[in-house]
Amino acid sequence: MGRVRGFVTKPVVVAVLGLVVVAVGLGLYWFQPWKLWTDDTVREPVPTPAATSTAGPRTVARGELISHEHDTSGSVRLLRLADGSYVLRLVDLDTSNGPDLRVWLSDAPVEKGRDGWHVFDDDGYEHVSLGGLKGNKGDQNYQLPADVDPTAYTSVSIWCERFNVSFGAAELARD
């Protein structure tokens, strides 16, 4: 027993064990593997008009999500509200949970399978982040900034900022 205790208390072994603990901690932080087994469901209602308005939101574009890095399904609607603002709505979203997921509007084409994984971060295309994904399941609304022209964007991506990959995407077809 004394021989083992002497070995474990050597400075080199203590340093290596410390580095292993730090590496495991960083790996857990970076990959967040527990998100593979957890879901965040969001059920936001469709935005309603202000009390002084009778016109409801109007769908100006729509699309169906396809899978890229992870199985992804649901639909996307670009809504114009009575006040002239725009909201991107995800309906029946179902994708994997992941670290640092974002909702992107983009002018990149939507390509199926592996060809679509890295299209959205290509320098040839523009995108605007609408913020972090609120949940990996359900119905969600994302307000477009007032200075964003929605006609300049043709697609939506559920984008993993941490690993620079699209979980899924939809091409927007104008109504």
Side-chain angles (χ1 to χ4, degrees):
M1 187 69 167
R3 191 181 270 178
V4 171
R5 180 172 286 158
F7 177 76
V8 173
T9 59
K10 290 190 183 216
V12 171
V13 173
V14 171
V16 168
L17 287 175
L19 288 174
V20 167
V21 168
V22 169
V24 168
L26 288 173
L28 288 172
Y29 169 76
W30 188 256
F31 289 99
Q32 299 179 358
W34 57 88
K35 288 195 172 189
L36 292 172
W37 298 281
T38 60
D39 289 323
D40 294 323
T41 302
V42 175
R43 295 281 181 218
E44 290 183 327
V46 175
T48 56
T52 59
S53 172
T54 58
R58 184 173 60 92
T59 301
V60 295
R62 65 182 77 225
E64 294 297 317
L65 288 161
I66 64 167
S67 299
H68 281 160
E69 177 69 21
H70 293 269
D71 288 339
T72 302
S73 63
S75 62
V76 176
R77 294 190 184 124
L78 182 60
L79 305 174
R80 182 167 184 165
L81 306 182
D83 65 3
S85 65
Y86 290 89
V87 169
L88 182 77
R89 181 163 172 79
L90 303 178
V91 180
D92 293 329
L93 174 66
D94 188 359
T95 192
S96 299
N97 210 339
D100 207 10
L101 295 179
R102 305 282 171 180
V103 178
W104 278 10
L105 266 181
S106 178
D107 63 355
V110 175
E111 297 181 24
K112 293 183 180 186
R114 291 182 180 263
D115 291 337
W117 283 6
H118 297 284
V119 169
F120 293 92
D121 62 345
D122 187 330
D123 289 335
Y125 299 107
E126 296 293 321
H127 73 269
V128 61
S129 177
L130 301 181
L133 188 69
K134 297 174 183 176
N136 64 309
K137 296 187 181 297
D139 306 323
Q140 304 164 38
N141 303 315
Y142 297 87
Q143 186 77 39
L144 272 66
D147 63 343
V148 170
D149 175 10
T151 63
Y153 299 97
T154 57
S155 59
V156 174
S157 175
I158 306 302
W159 183 259
C160 180
E161 191 76 25
R162 174 91 29 98
F163 295 105
N164 292 323
V165 69
S166 174
F167 273 38
E171 188 161 339
L172 290 172
R174 305 288 169 194
D175 278 2

